[in-house]
Amino acid sequence: MVFRLPLGRIIGGAGAGELMSCCNLTWAKNLEVSTTQSRMSNNNSSSIESNPKVQKLHQIIASDSTDGWEKSWQQEHTPWDLGKPTPLIKHLHQTGALPNGRTLVPGCGSGYDVVAIACPERFVVGLDISDSAIKKAKELSSKSWNANHFTFLKADFFTWNPTELFDLIFDYTFFCAIEPDMRPAWAKRMHRLLKPDGELLTLMFPDCYEEMLHPMGFKAVSIVDNNMAIGLRKGREKLGRWKLTPSKSLL
């Protein structure tokens, strides 16, 4: 059985765990990845497919292609949710390696990454399509010391039209949650939402981001191994930092 993610739907969290295994299998079978990557995923496919948490998530999504992700949050079946910030994004913030300014985290889920990087110099918008995810994010962060420096919004990334562009966009477990034929639209939205001098930060597996981003005028400033990757992504995940080449970027 191939785990198929619903068209245009997003994973509501910045995490890893069992769902990463599932994403790896889907990527290897739906994308033109390298032979080596395909073998790695095929070798793990039986254990992935037999994972009870992955099986249950598949059943929830398959039962309702429109509101499957919302149901997974309602049933508190969110194996991708780490329950804490993504280690690398927290490290980049703490070491001053993130741009300041207006920031977007699409598919924010429980909002751990949003809260972790929000500060007086960086206002962060957490976006998710799930009402339950946004409700949870607001509840968890209600007493945060930096509550004035972030907000959570329920909206569809592909149709949402903010009034301001962003200096930084952070993507993790979001690109992998949309069908491959939606990825060009993902790249167009990134181009549309980012300021001309802004930065797109991606935690990547597999390495097909450049294929999507280059036609939209993005160039990689750096692509390096993520030495703080979690679980099955260790040794395979990379951190990509992207900038727009001089061109138009309008709402």
Side-chain angles (χ1 to χ4, degrees), residues 23 36-38 52 63 82 98 100 102 110 115 124 135 141 147 152-153 175-176 191-192 206 210 249:
C23 284
T36 300
Q37 289 173 330
S38 296
S63 68
L82 281 180
L98 287 180
N100 291 325
R102 185 172 167 84
S110 299
V115 177
V124 186
K135 180 180 179 180
S141 63
F152 292 105
L153 300 175
F175 180 88
C176 76
H191 178 275
R192 191 172 182 83
E210 189 166 7
S249 176

Side-chain angles (χ1 to χ4, degrees), residues 12-206:
E18 290 83 359
L19 193 60
M20 294 309 178
S21 304
C22 204
C23 284
N24 291 348
L25 177 60
T26 303
W27 285 327
K29 294 185 178 180
N30 288 320
L31 300 176
E32 294 180 358
V33 298
S34 69
T35 302
T36 300
Q37 289 173 330
S38 296
R39 286 201 192 102
M40 291 167 70
S41 288
N42 289 336
N43 290 339
N44 289 329
S45 62
S46 60
S47 61
I48 292 169
E49 294 167 7
S50 63
N51 187 306
K53 291 184 179 180
V54 172
Q55 286 184 334
K56 182 177 179 180
L57 180 60
H58 174 75
Q59 291 170 357
I60 294 172
I61 301 301
S63 68
D64 191 335
S65 61
T66 301
D67 297 317
W69 292 118
E70 172 64 17
K71 287 186 176 180
S72 70
W73 281 101
Q74 291 176 350
Q75 297 178 26
E76 298 183 348
H77 188 74
T78 54
W80 62 83
D81 192 337
L82 281 180
K84 62 180 180 180
T86 305
L88 182 61
I89 195 70
K90 183 178 180 180
H91 172 75
L92 293 174
H93 167 64
Q94 292 176 338
T95 56
L98 287 180
N100 291 325
R102 185 172 167 84
T103 298
L104 173 65
V105 180
C108 67
S110 299
Y112 296 106
D113 289 342
V114 172
V115 177
I117 64 176
C119 60
E121 298 78 26
R122 185 184 305 111
F123 185 84
V124 186
V125 177
L127 194 73
D128 205 287
I129 203 167
S130 166
D131 279 315
S132 296
I134 292 298
K135 180 180 179 180
K136 181 178 180 180
K138 289 180 177 180
E139 290 174 350
L140 289 173
S141 63
S142 62
K143 297 182 180 180
S144 298
W145 70 270
N146 56 349
N148 291 331
H149 306 300
F150 61 81
T151 190
F152 292 105
L153 300 175
K154 189 270 181 184
D156 187 330
F157 171 79
F158 291 98
T159 59
W160 177 58
N161 290 305
T163 57
E164 297 180 62
L165 296 172
F166 293 91
D167 299 281
L168 172 66
I169 302 177
F170 173 55
D171 184 297
Y172 188 35
T173 70
F174 181 77
F175 180 88
C176 76
I178 58 177
E179 293 284 6
D181 61 4
M182 286 293 291
R183 287 168 181 170
W186 168 90
K188 289 180 182 179
R189 290 297 292 168
M190 291 299 181
H191 178 275
R192 191 172 182 83
L193 295 174
L194 196 66
K195 289 182 179 179
D197 60 345
E199 181 174 335
L200 171 62
L201 194 70
T202 58
L203 286 182
M204 309 183 301
F205 179 85

